[in-house]
Amino acid sequence: MKTREKIILTSLELFNEQGERNVTTNHIAAHLGISPGNLYYHFRNKSDIIYDIFQEYEKLVDYYLDIPTDRPLTVDDMMGYLESVFDGLWSYRFFHRDLEFLLDNDQRLREDYRKFTYRCLDAIRRIFDGLRDGGVFHDQSEELKEAMALNVWLVITHWMAFLKSAQPSDSGSDSIRPEQLKEGIYQVLTLEMPYLREPYRDQVMALRAQYRPSVMAKKAVNG
Amino acid sequence: MKTREKIILTSLELFNEQGERNVTTNHIAAHLGISPGNLYYHFRNKSDIIYDIFQEYEKLVDYYLDIPTDRPLTVDDMMGYLESVFDGLWSYRFFHRDLEFLLDNDQRLREDYRKFTYRCLDAIRRIFDGLRDGGVFHDQSEELKEAMALNVWLVITHWMAFLKSAQPSDSGSDSIRPEQLKEGIYQVLTLEMPYLREPYRDQVMALRAQYRPSVMAKKAVNG
DNA sequence: CTATTATTAGAGTATATGCTCTAGCCCGTC
DNA sequence: GACGGGCTAGAGCATATACTCTAATAATAG
């Protein structure tokens, strides 16, 4: 494998494990067993590494959210989108974690991310439309679909942050498991619940039950 | 005013404007016109300043979310809670911005914040119950109330992050206005909409309309 | 007034971090 | 086998950051 690729992979791995803020370029080089000079031969600076990773993430999600317009959508389609998006979220989970700082320090990234966000919101709306055409969703006003899409986006992109903040202190820094992340699907389906038509409603509710967050079972100690 | 208090106030101000990550203890001291030594006479370290600020935030929100149990709740109560919570969010907006890093670097804060989260989730559920008793909400299963409360929490605590990430690059670093933050109320009411009873439903929808996010009007350029 | 304590100034330190610079190695080509 | 460009090592720099140390100054009590 080319050194450039290795840098990307290792950076992503370390960022995901420890957070971008806690991973220096020297760490990345050391972890790879290469010199800092070598790393900087392949990338002008740290931002470029992050930007590269973002573009891969973007490509992946755009691929996932390529919604067919020539046919209505099914419950299976919907679950597929959810599973895919949360998979992507897991693979690039560092990104949403340090998002604000990253955007503040790279205008290019800020602009691209903004467009990315609106593309995703649009895709969510198109999924709603497809599901309505498939008889899964009730028809709703454009305004409501827009607000709903935004709420879905908020839940999806920040579920990870919630999980991490609700973790007890004694667990390690990288203790969230992919299955826990998937529990965000439960929350998204909770949002959609009131807008589902029978008989799909019961079907989706049954699927939803499988993702029930484990945090909910636990009772918090309010000392 | 005591120096200690001044340090807290200035820190909060600078953190809110520039983000905790971008504000050093030397900046705080310089901004106050005092020496670093003086600052460190009053606080052992930066974490202690942040922890102090968090405790004030906690106190404020706990005060806002002191839900009466001896009477049902009205639509006005609900709107009052929303307005208050978003006010608090605005005053301490730096906090949710750099949350993950802050929690990673202060176990004490992590533990307190975890409990704080669960207290808030509990308060949201009790608001739901109060509104049900007041005839504003339909009755729902405990499971649904729990999931709903969590979604409300996610939207409230991350609305700010969304706004900042959706800002175009040409706006300043502290360009979000409090009215924009309040638009999060629209999103929360969107969540609650399906569970409202007539005649309150129409009333709430009318109130909701006043908070409609301006971002929604804009069309994004997907270059 | 004096002794003690609380507060403040400000130079300075240890460490980290992103990044640079120069020299040299590897490897394919003529 | 010599040449040259792609690649790599690694010492080291400029800057920043959280924090310390000493000495001096205010405030307060006896």
Side-chain angles (χ1 to χ4, degrees):
Chain A
M1 197 189 305
K2 295 275 183 200
T3 304
R4 196 188 151 90
E5 278 180 72
K6 282 198 273 186
I7 293 172
I8 290 290
L9 283 178
T10 299
S11 300
L12 178 56
E13 183 191 329
L14 293 179
F15 288 163
N16 277 338
E17 279 170 9
Q18 301 167 40
E20 180 272 341
R21 187 172 182 170
N22 300 316
V23 177
T24 73
T25 48
N26 288 358
H27 287 152
I28 298 167
H31 194 267
L32 270 168
I34 67 171
S35 63
N38 192 354
L39 187 147
Y40 278 92
Y41 173 78
H42 292 282
F43 290 92
R44 267 195 14 256
N45 51 43
K46 196 182 176 186
S47 279
D48 274 11
I49 300 177
I50 293 162
Y51 188 64
D52 223 88
I53 294 177
F54 167 69
Q55 287 187 310
E56 284 185 22
Y57 175 49
E58 206 180 3
K59 218 181 298 173
L60 183 72
V61 175
D62 282 341
Y63 168 76
Y64 284 155
L65 293 184
D66 182 23
I67 319 295
T69 49
D70 55 343
R71 62 168 179 86
L73 296 179
T74 67
V75 170
D76 279 355
D77 287 323
M78 181 183 77
M79 296 308 290
Y81 291 133
L82 284 170
E83 283 277 348
S84 303
V85 164
F86 275 91
D87 271 337
L89 218 53
W90 174 257
S91 305
Y92 295 86
R93 61 193 179 280
F94 88 94
F95 190 71
H96 287 96
R97 179 175 173 181
D98 285 314
L99 186 63
E100 300 219 30
F101 182 81
L102 298 179
L103 298 187
D104 274 352
N105 285 283
D106 191 338
Q107 291 306 311
R108 193 181 38 165
L109 186 64
R110 171 177 289 281
E111 199 49 33
D112 283 14
Y113 183 74
R114 210 182 105 259
K115 289 172 184 165
F116 172 70
T117 300
Y118 285 110
R119 275 208 308 286
C120 289
L121 287 173
D122 215 60
I124 297 171
R125 279 197 294 267
R126 274 181 287 121
I127 291 174
F128 288 166
D129 284 340
L131 289 168
R132 175 205 53 203
D133 295 343
V136 181
F137 272 24
H138 285 285
D139 195 20
Q140 301 295 337
S141 70
E142 285 303 314
E143 194 189 316
L144 179 63
K145 272 185 282 190
E146 217 163 7
M148 277 287 297
L150 193 39
N151 277 340
V152 167
W153 175 252
L154 286 172
V155 170
I156 288 176
T157 53
H158 293 103
W159 175 246
M160 183 79 192
F162 166 76
L163 276 182
K164 289 215 76 171
S165 73
Q167 280 289 101
S169 359
D170 50 11
S171 33
S173 65
D174 191 40
S175 53
I176 305 282
R177 287 167 292 104
E179 313 90 66
Q180 277 177 286
L181 187 62
K182 287 277 175 73
E183 293 167 351
I185 293 177
Y186 181 92
Q187 294 302 123
V188 174
L189 293 179
T190 302
L191 290 180
E192 297 182 352
M193 209 163 69
Y195 304 98
L196 291 166
R197 295 174 77 137
E198 294 297 355
Y200 301 106
R201 189 188 162 91
D202 289 341
Q203 183 193 348
V204 173
M205 288 308 97
L207 290 167
R208 171 174 170 268
Q210 297 168 13
Y211 294 99
R212 179 150 201 243
S214 50
V215 270
M216 287 201 171
K218 293 177 202 155
K219 283 285 159 216
V221 186
N222 298 310
Chain B
M1 196 190 305
K2 296 274 183 200
T3 303
R4 197 190 151 89
E5 278 179 73
K6 283 198 272 188
I7 293 171
I8 291 289
L9 282 179
T10 299
S11 299
L12 178 56
E13 185 191 329
L14 294 178
F15 288 163
N16 278 338
E17 278 169 10
Q18 301 167 38
E20 179 272 341
R21 186 171 182 172
N22 300 316
V23 177
T24 73
T25 48
N26 287 0
H27 287 153
I28 298 166
H31 194 267
L32 269 168
I34 67 172
S35 64
N38 193 355
L39 187 146
Y40 278 92
Y41 171 78
H42 292 283
F43 290 93
R44 268 193 16 256
N45 51 43
K46 198 182 175 186
S47 279
D48 274 10
I49 300 177
I50 293 162
Y51 188 64
D52 223 88
I53 295 177
F54 166 69
Q55 287 187 312
E56 284 185 21
Y57 175 50
E58 207 180 3
K59 218 181 299 174
L60 183 71
V61 175
D62 282 341
Y63 167 75
Y64 285 155
L65 293 184
D66 181 23
I67 318 295
T69 49
D70 55 343
R71 63 170 178 85
L73 296 178
T74 67
V75 170
D76 279 355
D77 287 323
M78 182 182 76
M79 296 308 289
Y81 291 133
L82 284 170
E83 284 277 347
S84 304
V85 165
F86 275 91
D87 271 337
L89 218 52
W90 174 257
S91 305
Y92 295 86
R93 61 194 179 281
F94 88 94
F95 189 72
H96 287 96
R97 180 174 173 182
D98 287 312
L99 186 63
E100 299 219 30
F101 182 80
L102 298 179
L103 297 188
D104 274 351
N105 285 283
D106 191 339
Q107 291 306 312
R108 189 181 40 162
L109 186 64
R110 171 176 289 282
E111 197 52 32
D112 284 12
Y113 183 75
R114 210 183 106 258
K115 288 174 185 165
F116 173 70
T117 300
Y118 285 110
R119 276 207 307 286
C120 290
L121 288 173
D122 214 60
I124 296 171
R125 280 197 294 265
R126 271 181 289 123
I127 292 174
F128 288 166
D129 284 341
L131 289 168
R132 175 204 55 204
D133 296 342
V136 181
F137 273 24
H138 286 285
D139 194 22
Q140 301 295 338
S141 71
E142 285 304 314
E143 193 188 318
L144 179 63
K145 273 186 283 190
E146 216 162 10
M148 279 287 298
L150 193 39
N151 278 340
V152 167
W153 174 252
L154 286 173
V155 170
I156 289 176
T157 53
H158 293 102
W159 176 246
M160 183 79 194
F162 167 75
L163 275 183
K164 289 217 77 173
S165 73
Q167 280 289 102
S169 0
D170 50 10
S171 34
S173 66
D174 190 41
S175 53
I176 304 283
R177 287 168 290 105
E179 311 90 67
Q180 276 177 285
L181 187 61
K182 286 278 175 72
E183 293 167 351
I185 292 177
Y186 181 93
Q187 295 301 124
V188 174
L189 293 180
T190 302
L191 291 180
E192 296 181 352
M193 210 164 69
Y195 305 98
L196 291 166
R197 294 175 78 136
E198 293 298 356
Y200 302 106
R201 188 188 163 90
D202 289 340
Q203 183 193 349
V204 173
M205 287 308 98
L207 290 167
R208 170 173 170 271
Q210 297 169 12
Y211 294 99
R212 181 152 200 243
S214 51
V215 269
M216 286 201 172
K218 295 176 202 157
K219 284 285 158 212
V221 186
N222 298 310

